[in-house]
Amino acid sequence: MAGEYRLLLENAQQLVLVCGRGEKYLLQAGAERLAVLRHASVVVGRDGYIKAVGQADAIRNQFSGASFERVIDCSGKCVLPGLVDAHTHPVWAGDRVHEFAMKLAGASYMEIHQAGGGIHFTVEHTQKATEEELFSTFKHRLERMCRAGSTLVECKSGYGLNLETELKMLRVIERAKRSMDIGISSTYCGAHSVPKGRTATEATDDIIHNHLPKLKELKLSGEIHVNNIDVFCEKGVFDLDSTRRILQAGKDTGLQINFHGDELHPMKSAELGAELGAQAISHLEEVSDEGITAMARAKCAAVLLPTTAYMLRLKQPQARKMLKEGVIVALGSDFNPNAYCSSMPIVMHLACVNMKMSMNEALAAATINAAYALGKSDTHGSIENGKQGDLIIINSSSPSSHGHVILCSSTG
Ligand SMILES: N=CN[C@@H](CCC(=O)O)C(=O)O
Ligand SMILES: [Zn+2]
């Protein structure tokens, strides 16, 4: 085949497609049998999309007359789809390392929050920071994520709470979306905490009557395009009723529902998410059995966050039960000032050790299923013709050994 192409990754020892038949997600059985080709190659076109995947010999013959901007010999190496991080809070100012000492001394996450620290501390500093300062630290954080293999990252606002600062955060995320070689799914999380001096009902009304209409206006003018809506549905933060009102209003504005639920207390968040048609719910350490059943039925992804349970010494989310019941299990780093982990390989490792997921389940959860949680599994999360050429090469012949990412190519 003649023509000009961007990239040829040639003769990988293992080309881990994850899936290869247009699957939108993998349940337990599918995750156990990931699609893998040996001695295989992949071609990415100049538009950044995958044009061919197959045995190295067949690709060599098929593209014998073609030219490539870059050819990489992947002999002895392993190629995987770029990792997808389905939950991060990466835009903020103000270090909270002092709270780590408080937690080690026995304070709980909620005790610190209720005493005006935690999210409130970060909000105070983020409100004062300039857009430029926020962008500069955010950019470095994204670069670190990319170096660890993430090529698509969900990024939340939520340390502004007032409209002005929420928009500042969303503008920063939008700027990265347009200027950086990493995919971003942006989330409006104005209901991350109840602002000091307000009730949850007042905050809910403000979000519904002021924040969401403004987001709609900015979308129409092409200034900011947000993908998801999030609420921290938790005892002492937003109760089930306020959560329902905000999520429904967000959905009516055209946003995908993707929210924090059942983290510290059982809230029936999973049941609510399934009823509202949520694309995903994160955390779920305290999910009920009925909630798990409802999520499986509604094809609502569970975004599990092993760093949070580790950092806060919470009980682990019941990954095994969710998988057994047919829930789509995805993973996220939950990168935030309280859980400073930008590496999806570490997240996958924690998921295996602490949540008892198999290595293949963790890989499916950090690729195709995380892409599904963001409504992007048509274009991301596996190595298939027509998908974005987001690929990582590791200097190891097997995806599960201790290889390092040596190239992370994202077409943004
Ligand atoms: N639980 C709520 N939000 C974050 C933590 C944010 C913070 O503490 O700054 C989470 O997902 O873990
Ligand atoms: Zn979070």
Side-chain angles (χ1 to χ4, degrees):
M1 196 181 286
E4 294 178 356
Y5 297 85
R6 185 182 292 181
L7 182 64
L8 169 63
L9 298 188
E10 215 178 10
N11 195 32
Q13 175 83 20
Q14 288 197 46
L15 183 60
V16 184
L17 312 180
V18 172
C19 51
R21 296 199 195 124
E23 294 95 328
K24 301 223 179 314
Y25 51 80
L26 292 177
L27 299 178
Q28 184 181 7
E32 272 313 323
R33 292 187 307 269
L34 296 184
V36 178
L37 297 178
R38 283 165 213 283
H39 303 293
S41 302
V42 54
V43 174
V44 179
R46 295 184 71 181
D47 59 1
Y49 290 89
I50 295 173
K51 302 299 173 196
V53 181
Q55 295 303 323
D57 291 348
I59 296 284
R60 203 168 296 131
N61 288 338
Q62 194 185 339
F63 289 85
S64 58
S67 65
F68 298 92
E69 283 169 29
R70 194 164 178 201
V71 178
I72 301 177
D73 177 8
C74 296
S75 307
K77 300 186 175 57
C78 196
V79 176
L80 297 100
L83 302 176
V84 181
D85 187 341
H87 184 130
T88 80
H89 303 254
V91 182
W92 46 268
D95 192 354
R96 277 175 30 204
V97 73
H98 60 284
E99 291 185 359
F100 184 48
M102 291 162 77
K103 283 181 211 122
L104 292 181
S108 74
Y109 181 82
M110 262 306 163
E111 280 163 1
I112 295 172
H113 181 83
Q114 272 151 6
I119 295 174
H120 297 297
F121 179 93
T122 310
V123 167
E124 219 175 290
H125 287 75
T126 307
Q127 287 183 347
K128 285 189 206 136
T130 65
E131 211 164 302
E132 212 45 50
E133 285 162 351
L134 290 176
F135 182 74
S136 155
T137 46
F138 177 42
K139 184 171 176 284
H140 287 297
R141 290 167 192 159
L142 285 175
E143 285 163 354
R144 281 169 56 126
M145 290 174 185
C146 195
R147 281 200 295 276
S150 294
T151 53
L152 172 63
V153 179
E154 185 263 4
C155 298
K156 301 178 194 295
S157 69
Y159 292 121
L161 307 187
N162 64 34
L163 180 58
E164 183 193 341
T165 315
E166 283 299 308
L167 292 181
K168 180 168 70 179
M169 294 183 74
L170 291 170
R171 273 197 301 274
V172 165
I173 296 172
E174 189 73 26
R175 184 169 155 195
K177 255 190 192 183
R178 293 178 192 195
S179 63
M180 293 189 64
D181 268 346
I182 187 164
I184 292 178
S185 174
S186 58
T187 302
Y188 162 73
C189 188
H192 196 195
S193 180
V194 177
K196 282 184 180 167
R198 285 193 151 182
T199 64
T201 308
E202 286 165 350
T204 301
D205 289 339
D206 187 29
I207 287 168
I208 294 172
H209 300 303
N210 300 314
H211 292 212
L212 291 176
K214 187 68 187 173
L215 290 186
K216 192 170 181 183
E217 186 189 313
L218 292 170
K219 182 180 171 187
L220 289 173
S221 66
E223 285 167 71
I224 299 178
H225 187 119
V226 179
N227 305 101
N228 317 291
I229 179 141
D230 195 348
V231 174
F232 187 12
C233 178
E234 182 56 56
K235 193 169 160 194
V237 190
F238 289 92
D239 66 12
L240 207 63
D241 188 49
S242 303
T243 303
R244 175 193 292 278
R245 290 181 58 211
I246 295 168
L247 293 179
Q248 186 59 55
K251 187 176 180 183
D252 296 342
T253 312
L255 301 172
Q256 286 185 132
I257 298 177
N258 186 329
F259 70 111
H260 293 69
D262 296 327
E263 177 186 354
L264 305 170
H265 299 92
M267 299 290 293
K268 297 203 182 298
S269 309
E271 291 86 330
L272 176 69
E275 180 196 327
L276 295 179
Q279 187 72 23
I281 306 172
S282 289
H283 284 293
L284 300 164
E285 287 83 353
E286 298 287 346
V287 69
S288 67
D289 289 351
E290 296 74 24
I292 291 178
T293 309
M295 286 182 73
R297 197 171 301 133
K299 297 287 164 250
C300 170
V303 179
L304 304 184
L305 308 171
T307 61
T308 320
Y310 164 77
M311 252 309 283
L312 301 182
R313 296 173 171 152
L314 305 178
K315 77 178 192 205
Q316 297 291 329
Q318 303 173 68
R320 290 258 53 89
K321 179 169 167 65
M322 292 182 196
L323 285 159
K324 183 164 165 270
E325 302 282 329
V327 175
I328 302 161
V329 173
L331 288 170
S333 68
D334 196 16
F335 179 90
N336 74 68
N338 171 63
Y340 203 95
C341 174
S342 48
S343 161
M344 285 303 286
I346 290 180
V347 168
M348 290 154 70
H349 172 84
L350 289 173
C352 293
V353 175
N354 292 340
M355 291 167 20
K356 302 187 168 42
M357 288 172 71
S358 70
M359 287 187 278
N360 279 1
E361 286 167 348
L363 184 57
T367 52
I368 191 71
N369 289 358
Y372 174 85
L374 305 179
K376 284 184 177 281
S377 60
D378 282 345
T379 47
H380 295 75
S382 60
I383 302 179
E384 293 181 80
N385 270 346
K387 285 201 173 183
Q388 271 201 205
D390 290 356
L391 304 162
I392 54 181
I393 307 171
I394 55 172
N395 63 346
S396 158
S397 56
S398 151
S400 43
S401 61
H402 300 280
H404 299 286
V405 173
I406 53 175
L407 181 123
C408 179
S409 147
S410 169
T411 49

